[in-house]
Amino acid sequence: QQQLADTRLRFLNGVQAAYWSMLEEGRVNQTAAMLLMQAVAEAIDHTVQGRRLLLWPAMRPHVRMPRYFRALHRALRPLLPQRALNWVTVDRLELAASMSAAYIRALRQTRQQLREFLKDSPILEAVVLESEEEEKEAKKFLEDVRLNVPEVLTIIKTKQVTHAILQELHGYVENLDHSGLLDQKEVVLLHNAVTADLKKLQRSPPFVAMLPAEEVLLRQPLIGALPVDIRLALLQPLKEATKLSDSTLFQEGQPAEGVWLIASGTAKWTSKAAEAEAEAHGQHLIPPLFAHGSSVGLYETLRGCAHQYSVVADSVLHCFFIDRQRILAAKDSSDAIQDFLWKESCLEVARVLRPMEFGALSMHDLRVLFASSARLLTIAPHTAIHLAPCEVALLLLGAVRLPGEGVEGDGGDGGGAAGRARGGGRGEGRAC
């Protein structure tokens, strides 16, 4: 226990030294360095009391994504000059993101140094595991920032790189001065130019404008592929939302009220039926994630049934909601639009019903696969459906009965066996 405590103290001292180096190099400002040092001081107190590494609890109050951020940024854009807008919105997250990046860098740097010093030590590995656990929340926060407010990370990276270049120039000028290649007037002139650029960098950081909501939506595959008149009808009025991690979009068994379009971030789904089936077969269910380009809830909206699974934000989500009435109006506008919407819903159904086959594919790859090989069929009652080897049928509407088994599958089921099935007696069916 004493060796474990000593190793933890060594680790924390290494993290503190890394923060000092970052401050001297200009990677963090004095405010961030002070808060980071305070977190180390609190962690040292915990370690002296015999507790594990606890760096993150002291960091958490300063590193968070405000719920109102994106809505505030968009609301103030027409009202404020660019510099004022940066100060009100982006600058509020810049400190938190800068601290998180420095925190992760310090932990990784210290782990590497201790491994070089202590080699293969089981005590060191225990401390390393504790530090990796402390790193998870910071990584998750930076990922949320990267997905939803990429301009913040762009500002931090550009400032750090520019600062490093200007510091190199400063050192280069000093070397030229020492070597006697410059006279005193030239040295003063170059030093003043570098110092002015450093001050300018601190006053006016670079900025990357956020895309307007309309442009973000046009990049959504579901919206971008529709005719202009249908697209305008779907998007007026526009409902935009930012969902924090672990926020619920909809729950299993809840009536489908519309479609969620995911612009950035990831969402995970859970299903009691799928979990029970996996448990019955002794399998561990790893639900695939819905990412950019996903249209969540489209199948249930088209069919008019309750949601068959729950969807929860896995990170901060930037998304748009289209209510059911407008989706159904677009569906009834033409047969071509109806077929397109049903085929688009197959992407969601495939990932949920057949996660082993389709869960590992990205939405882009899955969309390319369906565009190149999937076909939408309308099947009359009592018609045999033949499946070739390696084919999968996704039943969207209606019911089928497997020959000789008396087993009936309802809309929303998927089958992958070669063979044939016969349409049930409750009207025509639709399958993909």
Side-chain angles (χ1 to χ4, degrees), residues 164-363:
I165 292 173
L166 292 174
Q167 292 286 32
E168 286 289 327
L169 285 174
H170 193 278
Y172 182 63
V173 171
E174 288 186 344
N175 290 336
L176 292 176
D177 183 22
H178 294 325
S179 63
L181 297 178
L182 297 176
D183 60 34
Q184 191 61 31
K185 182 184 290 186
E186 291 172 329
V187 171
V188 172
L189 183 64
L190 290 173
H191 270 306
N192 289 342
V194 172
T195 303
D197 285 342
L198 281 170
K199 290 180 178 178
K200 182 179 179 181
L201 178 67
Q202 294 298 326
R203 286 196 311 268
S204 303
F207 184 75
V208 178
M210 298 175 73
L211 292 175
E214 292 76 11
E215 190 171 340
V216 172
L217 269 172
L218 287 177
R219 299 186 179 192
Q220 290 290 116
L222 175 63
I223 300 300
L226 291 172
V228 176
D229 55 337
I230 301 296
R231 187 190 308 161
L232 292 176
L234 282 178
L235 303 182
Q236 299 297 333
L238 181 64
K239 181 179 179 181
E240 184 179 6
T242 299
K243 298 286 186 179
L244 297 182
S245 181
D246 296 326
S247 299
T248 301
L249 295 187
F250 53 78
Q251 293 182 336
E252 184 175 356
Q254 177 183 339
E257 297 177 351
V259 180
W260 288 95
L261 306 178
I262 299 178
S264 63
T266 54
K268 57 188 175 183
W269 64 269
T270 58
S271 168
K272 295 177 182 177
E275 290 172 355
E277 183 178 352
E279 186 177 348
H281 290 83
Q283 299 174 341
H284 178 62
L285 180 65
I286 304 178
L289 297 176
F290 292 111
H292 163 71
S294 299
S295 308
V296 187
L298 179 58
Y299 170 70
E300 291 92 337
T301 299
L302 291 173
R303 193 180 169 203
C305 63
H307 289 294
Q308 301 181 10
Y309 51 91
S310 301
V311 173
V312 178
D314 192 52
S315 67
V316 175
L317 281 181
H318 177 212
C319 47
F320 300 88
F321 181 77
I322 304 175
D323 66 63
R324 182 169 181 263
Q325 295 304 320
R326 283 185 285 166
I327 291 290
L328 295 181
K331 168 177 167 282
D332 296 336
S333 63
S334 71
D335 292 341
I337 297 297
Q338 182 174 168
D339 289 348
F340 169 76
L341 292 175
W342 277 116
K343 199 167 184 179
E344 183 72 18
S345 74
C346 290
L347 303 177
E348 177 187 358
V349 173
R351 290 175 71 85
V352 174
L353 293 181
R354 311 292 294 189
M356 298 300 293
E357 290 90 342
F358 303 113
L361 296 176
S362 67
M363 286 304 298

Side-chain angles (χ1 to χ4, degrees), residues 104-145:
I104 293 172
R105 182 183 178 87
L107 292 182
R108 293 178 178 177
Q109 182 178 316
T110 305
R111 283 199 293 264
Q112 181 180 353
Q113 291 173 341
L114 281 179
R115 277 177 170 147
E116 292 174 355
F117 177 61
L118 298 177
K119 305 300 180 185
D120 296 329
S121 165
I123 294 177
L124 173 60
E125 289 306 313
V127 175
V128 165
L129 288 175
E130 290 180 358
S131 72
E132 290 174 345
E133 188 68 26
E134 291 291 288
E135 189 179 310
K136 288 181 180 178
E137 289 294 325
K139 289 169 66 176
K140 186 174 182 180
F141 171 78
L142 284 180
E143 180 66 11
D144 287 346
V145 173

